[in-house]
Amino acid sequence: MKYLVSIGLETHVQLKTRTKMFCGCLLSTDCPPNTNVCPVCMGLPGALPLMNKEAIRKTVMSGLMLGCSINKYSRFDRKNYFYPDMVKNYQISQNTDPLCIGGGVDIGKGENIRRVRINHIHLEEDAAKINHYDRHSGIDYNRCGTPLMEIVSEPDMHSSSDAMEYLTALRQILVYAGVSDCNLEDGNMRSDVNVSVRPETSDRLGTKVEIKNMNTFKGICAALEFEIDRQTAILKSGGSVVQETRRWDGECGETFSMRTKENAHDYRYFPEPDLLPVMLDDGTIEQWRSELPELPGKKRERFKTQYSLPEYDAGVLCAQLPVAAFFEQTVQRGAAPKSVSNWIMTDLLRLLGQTGRDISDIPLTPDSFASLLKLVDSKSINTPTAKELFEELFEKGGEPEAIVKERGLGQVSDTGAIEEFAARVVAENPKVAADYVGGKAPALQYLVGQVMKLSRGKANPQMAAEIIKRKIAGE
Amino acid sequence: MDNENGTVHMDVERICELAHFDMTSEEMSEYQDQLDRILEYVEMLRQLDLDGIEPTMYGQPVANNFREDIVVPGLTHDEVIRNAPDQANGEIKVPKVVE
Ligand SMILES: [Zn+2]
């Protein structure tokens, strides 16, 4: 019998705001513990929360990017639970009237594009960070009360690779929108995973199992694969899957039952009495819509048509917004799109990878990059020189034309000079010249190499090859 | 919370468990009685015709009480730690909790 897998994700995304959700405390990841806290986020009696407008705006913008409809009326609820990561014994969240409803993320390519539907997006406050030690636990409330957006998908994914595609696309969109850094190591993006398996013949979803709080894509993928195998094996042997929450242990590569108490999920939600509702009018929503950047998929299509780039190039360039911007800025300065693309995909991305540097933080500018390419196109410098110069501009910056002039790096396209070198090389290497005549093509490469050597790397190699051929032919 | 025979009833034992309250059985039956009477009182609303009346969640017709995303200094580290039962390396120390 065949089995069908259904996966849904609840993805928590830390918003890139300056301050917390309901108080003016600084958002930081590298401050000493318990230094960015106040009476509101420490839950001291009498302190009142006040909504951060920017967090509302970023959540609505995420909704607009993901094709959600924005609720004109939304509000906050209290979610009650006891755990030391939440000082007030409740988390302010949105249960019945979230900011965004519906929408979706497209996965797959070409004819196989499928939509993973989004159920809703709501806004809440994050909990504190708990560190576990041998004999005690230590709490840092710096993260407590920071804005956290939760994106809840429908169970529309059917394999671990679907889930990876969904998360990758979601992350790209949110980073594009400037909503979050989505830095996985810093825990900016954490997912709860729901997975169920059912016989293909059944049209009702199987019993779902939840795996909580996963922050790496790799972990999610491995946990899903383990859980799909585990549940399929249970069904095949005639058993039934227990509805429960399981924990992923990355070291063992297995999920384990968490055996939570039955009552643990009775959150007794009720409307947060300390906050007023959020009412958004069309003008505000349209204003925020006008501030949205171009979606990655739209940008890829535009790059293909506007710059006549192959699908592959468009995909690589648009994967990161700063890289796409660097490409466009260089093209705007008159460089040929396809050569800009080639240089970015090979040399620039390689150097960025090797040095671990950020594209926004390198001495190479679209200006110097474009003038370097102009020198190549006009055959003023040859390719090996250009490659060396590119690395230098990447490291130290500078003005390519000035450097070429100053150091005499200009390519020798002067026929007279190359004629002279070629004549000498052919005369000094009669055996190699004879080999070429005898049909050994590589012999020509050797002779060209000799001419390049004599010109100290500056001769135009194509021109040198032509002239050598003529010399050998005795012209 | 209704029970089968249509009268209102609150499961005080469960509420205590959820709210982390420790109560003796005497206290529990005392509160049981009081809370059931409060529920009965609220029950009177059901006798009214509330068709077409929106539930009221807030006292005033006001919305959008926002703050701008501007940093405001909070408590000093010493002030925070002063209220904590114990601390270690700047973190608030609590009995070991499971992940
Ligand atoms: Zn605070």
Side-chain angles (χ1 to χ4, degrees), chain A residues 20-26 36-43 141-142 144-145, chain B residues 72-75:
Chain A
K20 293 188 178 181
M21 186 61 228
F22 299 113
C23 60
C25 289
L26 178 76
N36 293 316
V37 287
C38 74
V40 174
C41 55
M42 287 302 287
Y141 287 99
N142 284 351
C144 192
Chain B
V72 178
L75 298 168

Side-chain angles (χ1 to χ4, degrees), chain A residues 92-103:
Chain A
I92 304 179
S93 182
Q94 296 190 297
N95 187 41
T96 49
D97 295 296
L99 279 162
C100 315
I101 298 275

Side-chain angles (χ1 to χ4, degrees), chain A residues 169-183:
Chain A
L170 187 62
R171 181 184 186 199
Q172 198 181 45
I173 291 167
L174 298 175
V175 172
Y176 255 69
V179 159
S180 172
D181 289 329
C182 290
N183 196 325

Side-chain angles (χ1 to χ4, degrees), chain A residues 17-21 23-24 26 33-34 37 39 42 50-54 73 75 82-83 131-134 136-139 141 263 266 268 271 275-279, chain B residues 14-15 17-20 57-58 60 62-77 80-81 83 88-99:
Chain A
T17 52
R18 273 190 288 274
T19 65
K20 293 188 178 181
M21 186 61 228
C23 60
L26 178 76
N34 299 308
V37 287
M42 287 302 287
L50 208 49
M51 295 179 279
N52 183 343
K53 189 175 184 184
E54 182 60 13
Y73 173 91
R75 55 176 193 83
F82 290 90
Y83 203 64
N131 292 309
H132 301 279
Y133 304 99
D134 278 352
H136 76 278
S137 295
I139 311 172
Y141 287 99
N263 282 341
D266 190 343
R268 294 163 296 145
L275 290 171
L276 292 167
V278 178
M279 290 175 89
Chain B
R14 181 168 153 74
I15 299 291
E17 202 184 311
L18 286 171
H20 290 206
M57 232 99 55
Y58 302 93
Q60 306 97 348
V62 189
N64 300 349
N65 196 15
F66 297 132
R67 41 174 276 273
E68 294 302 320
D69 191 18
I70 293 165
V71 178
V72 178
L75 298 168
T76 64
H77 184 68
V80 178
I81 293 298
N83 280 322
N89 298 319
E91 293 175 344
I92 291 171
K93 200 170 160 182
V94 297
K96 204 169 161 63
V97 288
V98 284
E99 252 176 293

Side-chain angles (χ1 to χ4, degrees), chain A residues 286-304:
Chain A
E286 287 318 306
Q287 173 60 38
W288 290 345
R289 194 194 297 278
S290 74
E291 293 161 18
L292 289 179
E294 187 180 27
L295 276 167
K298 284 234 171 77
K299 197 184 274 291
R300 277 197 296 274
E301 286 310 308
R302 183 169 63 78
F303 272 33
K304 276 159 62 183

